[in-house]
Amino acid sequence: SQWGEENLQALSIQEGEDVTMNCSYKTYTTVVQWYRQKSGKGPAQLILIRSNEREKRSGRLRATLDTSSQSSSLSITGTLATDTAVYFCATAGSGGNYKPTFGKGTSLVVHP
Amino acid sequence: NAGVIQTPRHKVTGKGQEATLWCEPISGHSAVFWYRQTIVQGLEFLTYFRNQAPIDDSGMPKERFSAQMPNQSHSTLKIQSTQPQDSAVYLCASRRTGGRYAEQFFGPGTRLTVL
């Protein structure tokens, strides 16, 4: 799993496999966002899951959120080589100002 | 819609020189963020503008870094007397609103290398 003090995690799988990436956070948040960053590009938001949601799906992606354990996961089913990227989770700041805090990320390599 | 535009894409400076990085947010977006990304530290928040006003600069190194947003169509991040440890990818992002549920759109980043 990823969070601030951990090093970048790395996964290497074959195309067609399913994969789950985990993220844990330390402070209260009302939202967890999952991002994907491909080489040479900026991060792109994949899924935003709110604290009152336990699961959210988007195509082959599924995000879960467990506020009691302060953890979230992102699953990708039927991976493609084009899913190769670094995946980040991010939490929102508290109070009136939004200051995202990003995990170190999981580097996913999907071999064709 | 061209997305968030950042220029230059790559910048090389000598130690002690100044570097200015430019960001053009998506038209109509009121919130602009700057981040720094390195292998060791990951993605770090630097500063945040809403409706051109500075809201939170708690991530900015105080002495040599400054950011401005003179109008709604661009923001700049200036680093004075650059040091090798400033080498990183600097990312700009914009959101339609300041709310935490609004999607954040990132630019491609500026890779700064300080020799």
Side-chain angles (χ1 to χ4, degrees), chain B residues 91-114:
Chain B
L91 291 158
C92 176
S94 71
R95 293 207 316 255
R96 186 173 57 82
T97 71
R100 67 193 64 200
Y101 301 118
E103 183 173 356
Q104 189 165 199
F105 295 86
F106 282 83
T110 295
R111 181 174 295 278
L112 175 66
T113 302
V114 182

Side-chain angles (χ1 to χ4, degrees), chain B residues 49-67:
Chain B
F49 294 87
R50 187 172 66 227
N51 294 321
Q52 300 171 232
I55 301 298
D56 184 344
D57 67 353
S58 58
M60 294 275 276
K62 294 304 180 191
E63 292 188 352
R64 298 182 294 105
F65 284 60
S66 62

Side-chain angles (χ1 to χ4, degrees), chain A residues 32-99:
Chain A
V32 171
Q33 296 169 321
W34 282 92
Y35 290 84
R36 175 175 64 194
Q37 185 174 25
K38 296 197 173 186
S39 180
K41 307 284 188 182
Q45 184 177 305
L46 298 174
I47 289 183
L48 182 151
I49 184 165
R50 303 187 185 203
S51 57
N52 62 351
E53 300 174 308
R54 294 189 62 82
E55 178 181 298
K56 198 157 187 183
R57 293 177 184 265
S58 176
R60 295 182 294 110
L61 306 176
R62 172 178 171 261
T64 66
L65 178 59
D66 184 342
T67 53
S68 63
S69 64
Q70 294 189 291
S71 63
S72 178
S73 71
L74 178 71
S75 298
I76 307 175
T77 56
T79 53
L80 304 170
T82 53
D83 292 326
T84 293
V86 177
Y87 292 80
F88 298 95
C89 64
T91 58
S94 59
N97 293 326
Y98 175 85
K99 186 170 75 175

Side-chain angles (χ1 to χ4, degrees), chain B residues 20-98:
Chain B
T20 300
L21 313 180
W22 293 72
C23 169
E24 182 180 330
I26 293 172
S27 177
H29 283 197
S30 65
V32 172
F33 295 79
W34 283 96
Y35 299 89
R36 176 169 61 183
Q37 186 174 34
T38 61
I39 294 293
V40 174
Q41 297 296 331
L43 234 167
E44 301 175 285
F45 167 86
L46 292 176
T47 190
Y48 162 41
F49 294 87
R50 187 172 66 227
N51 294 321
Q52 300 171 232
I55 301 298
D56 184 344
D57 67 353
S58 58
M60 294 275 276
K62 294 304 180 191
E63 292 188 352
R64 298 182 294 105
F65 284 60
S66 62
Q68 294 183 331
M69 191 161 184
N71 56 59
Q72 63 185 10
S73 65
H74 88 272
S75 175
T76 58
L77 179 68
K78 183 180 291 186
I79 308 171
Q80 296 178 313
S81 186
T82 54
Q83 303 297 310
Q85 61 264 32
D86 298 331
S87 296
V89 176
Y90 291 83
L91 291 158
C92 176
S94 71
R95 293 207 316 255
R96 186 173 57 82
T97 71

